[in-house]
Amino acid sequence: MSRPSQAKLTAADHNSVSVIQSQAHASSSSLPAAVAGLQQVPQLVPASPSTGGGKALPPSKMKKPPADKDSEEYRQRRERNNLAVKKSRMRSKQKAMDTQQRVNELKEENERLEAKIKLLSKELSVLKDLFLEHAHNLADNVQPPAGAEGSSPAPNSSSTNGQ
């Protein structure tokens, strides 16, 4: 009779995909030759679990062997880093100074606008008072309509004398 086929995991091929080979074992081999052969089935299993999902690390994240503190490469890297830090700090200070200058300009503008508001409010109050005084004076000087009798004499009273 035949034994059940057994699967074995082989090394990863060049595509980083493991391949399972199954081989049919026949003791008295009454199976066809095609079944007894090897079958390759691609699997979605990473070849080595330590690669972290198959993603490559960028060069900046790769571990570099520590440079000797006396080496020229180490000295150059430190010098570049020191310059970068100095430049970054200068940019930060400049940005803070620019922001402070903008704050001061806005405060001055705010004070000017508040003074203008006070001036315009006073002017509005004076103009309102003037308008109300003028309107009151007009109301006092208005003569009643001509159709009302007995309230005030008509300016042309000579025409009523019978001439």
Side-chain angles (χ1 to χ4, degrees):
M1 290 199 76
S2 67
R3 293 176 88 189
S5 64
Q6 296 178 350
K8 67 177 183 177
L9 185 64
T10 62
D13 62 356
H14 64 280
N15 291 331
S16 296
V17 175
S18 298
V19 178
I20 295 179
Q21 292 181 344
S22 63
Q23 184 174 10
H25 295 284
S27 58
S28 60
S29 198
S30 62
L31 297 173
V35 175
L38 297 177
Q39 296 178 352
Q40 290 187 352
V41 179
Q43 296 292 311
L44 298 178
V45 178
S48 68
S50 64
T51 59
K55 293 183 181 178
L57 291 175
S60 62
K61 300 288 182 183
M62 294 176 73
K63 289 281 185 180
K64 296 177 184 173
D68 185 22
K69 290 189 177 189
D70 296 331
S71 72
E72 181 68 20
E73 178 190 0
Y74 177 79
R75 190 184 61 73
Q76 288 176 350
R77 284 193 308 185
R78 292 301 315 146
E79 199 172 302
R80 280 197 316 263
N81 182 261
N82 289 343
L83 288 174
V85 166
K86 190 181 291 186
K87 188 176 177 182
S88 174
R89 289 178 182 155
M90 286 176 55
R91 278 193 310 255
S92 177
K93 284 180 184 178
Q94 184 63 43
K95 187 175 179 180
M97 288 176 12
D98 292 346
T99 302
Q100 187 60 45
Q101 181 180 354
R102 179 74 173 138
V103 166
N104 293 338
E105 290 171 359
L106 290 173
K107 282 182 178 179
E108 289 175 8
E109 183 181 1
N110 196 24
E111 289 172 3
R112 282 193 309 268
L113 290 172
E114 287 178 359
K116 190 173 183 178
I117 288 171
K118 284 183 181 180
L119 178 68
L120 290 173
S121 295
K122 285 181 182 178
E123 186 178 346
L124 178 64
S125 177
V126 167
L127 290 173
K128 272 185 182 179
D129 291 343
L130 186 63
F131 176 75
L132 291 174
E133 183 181 329
H134 182 67
H136 183 59
N137 288 339
L138 281 178
D140 289 345
N141 292 334
V142 171
Q143 296 180 3
E149 291 187 28
S151 60
S152 69
N156 279 339
S157 57
S158 62
S159 63
T160 57
N161 288 342
Q163 285 181 341

